[in-house]
Amino acid sequence: NLEIEVDQQRLDSTHVFGNMASLSRTQLMLACIRRFLVQLKRRHNAEYAQVRAELRTRCEAKDSQVFGGCEKNETARRQLRQQVAKDMLELVEQFASHKQIPSMPSYQALARCLHEQCDVTEGKVDVRKKTSGRALQNPSDPDATLDGHKGKGYQAQIAETYNPKNAVQLITAVIPETAADEDGDALQKVVGQLTENGLKPTTVLADGHYGSDENEQACESAGIRLVAPVRGKPPGPGYVAKTEAQKRLEKRRAEQTTPEWKKSYNPRAGIEGTNSGLK
């Protein structure tokens, strides 16, 4: 029995890279097409033969042939991406009414990629300028998403004790998520898991991503003190807080400039070492 005190805990997320190739948007669309054609040929050879020979030849060629001459030519890269998008649309529409093919995972990944990467209007397809972080990143890892700063893959929300009286500090909760999930949305999930497991803290330290007024109020209702910075720049001169939420945020902004608050917040950084050690 280690007699670990769980009253003081700290929370952070750590990024986990997926074990997959990092693909450009054109490479992603091509990978979905190729994966579908391989499965189509294997399971529905007669239907595979119905795919236009030109499309098969273009999409099944080696990358060196497909992308040759495009590396330093933005116009050529854009034209290639548009052509691949047209190929995706053609394949999706060609087999959309088939009794079995739409249930194939490779077809579903193809249709998903088309939907996320392109806009289709009256049979015309246009590649979007930007996609969501929740868009498909690689058909071999369909659950992976994108964090704009940290990259593709997943993340884990990790809570651990930090009471100085403990002989050792222990991880108390781990919640796996995709990379596109927001840290701020996880705090109440973590608190819920800790409470359910009999590990509810009285104080939680977290960075500014978790420090919304909603989270602070939820923690207060649960009898937990959330110590987390208020994000964003302070309001300019003459600002007057009107709503109760604004007043609470201004009070917290003032508190976080005090030596007492900074001292109480200092232990939060310790979880960075835990994240590093886990990686």
Side-chain angles (χ1 to χ4, degrees):
N1 186 354
L2 294 174
E3 298 183 352
I4 298 297
E5 297 289 344
V6 299
D7 59 329
Q8 301 177 60
Q9 297 188 40
R10 50 198 176 198
L11 169 66
D12 196 14
S13 68
T14 187
H15 187 79
V16 181
F17 288 100
N19 186 21
M20 61 181 179
S22 181
L23 304 176
S24 68
R25 292 178 68 186
T26 306
Q27 288 174 326
L28 169 64
M29 291 189 286
L30 266 174
C32 289
I33 292 174
R34 289 167 173 167
R35 196 180 185 91
F36 170 67
L37 290 176
V38 167
Q39 294 299 314
L40 184 67
K41 185 177 182 179
R42 184 176 300 165
R43 298 172 59 179
H44 301 279
N45 191 260
E47 285 80 355
Y48 171 80
Q50 296 171 10
V51 177
R52 279 193 310 114
E54 180 187 352
L55 187 156
R56 295 202 312 262
T57 300
R58 177 172 51 250
C59 295
E60 293 176 338
K62 295 180 179 179
D63 278 359
S64 57
Q65 294 175 279
V66 176
F67 293 96
C70 292
E71 291 85 355
K72 298 181 180 180
N73 189 321
E74 177 60 32
T75 300
R77 289 200 300 270
R78 188 164 53 247
Q79 290 174 344
L80 173 61
R81 185 177 299 156
Q82 184 65 29
Q83 180 60 61
V84 174
K86 290 180 180 178
D87 293 340
M88 290 178 66
L89 177 62
E90 181 176 337
L91 289 170
V92 169
E93 291 185 338
Q94 183 174 352
F95 298 107
S97 59
H98 193 278
K99 291 183 179 180
Q100 297 174 309
I101 292 175
S103 65
M104 294 168 52
S106 58
Y107 177 90
Q108 293 171 358
L110 182 69
R112 175 187 171 185
C113 187
L114 174 67
H115 173 73
E116 293 173 341
Q117 296 290 334
C118 308
D119 291 314
V120 179
T121 307
E122 297 180 352
K124 181 182 178 182
V125 61
D126 290 301
V127 180
R128 293 177 182 169
K129 293 182 179 180
K130 194 174 182 180
T131 60
S132 164
R134 297 192 179 279
L136 182 70
Q137 303 299 312
N138 189 310
S140 66
D141 194 352
D143 295 327
T145 60
L146 174 69
D147 179 291
H149 299 289
K150 299 177 182 178
K152 303 173 182 180
Y154 301 86
Q155 68 182 18
Q157 298 289 339
I158 300 174
E160 69 173 3
T161 62
Y162 74 92
N163 190 311
K165 296 179 181 179
N166 292 337
V168 295
Q169 307 301 344
L170 297 182
I171 293 174
T172 52
V174 176
I175 296 181
E177 299 180 322
T178 72
D181 289 329
E182 297 288 339
D183 283 345
D185 296 334
L187 187 140
Q188 294 181 48
K189 298 177 187 177
V190 174
V191 169
Q193 185 182 101
L194 292 171
T195 302
E196 183 178 342
N197 292 335
L199 300 171
K200 178 182 170 182
T202 57
T203 300
V204 172
L205 306 185
D207 66 29
H209 291 91
Y210 303 86
S212 67
D213 180 68
E214 179 183 355
N215 280 341
E216 193 273 337
Q217 288 293 287
C219 284
E220 183 176 308
S221 297
I224 298 171
R225 179 187 177 222
L226 174 63
V227 182
V230 176
R231 297 186 73 189
K233 295 181 179 180
Y239 170 80
V240 177
K242 297 180 180 179
T243 68
E244 292 303 311
Q246 290 172 342
K247 292 175 182 178
R248 288 192 295 266
L249 289 171
E250 286 310 292
K251 181 180 178 181
R252 288 173 57 202
R253 278 198 178 95
E255 288 176 345
Q256 70 191 41
T257 64
T258 64
E260 293 79 13
W261 187 95
K262 293 177 180 179
K263 182 178 180 180
S264 69
Y265 186 66
N266 280 341
R268 191 216 69 87
I271 198 168
E272 302 289 353
T274 300
N275 290 342
S276 179
L278 288 173
K279 289 184 179 181

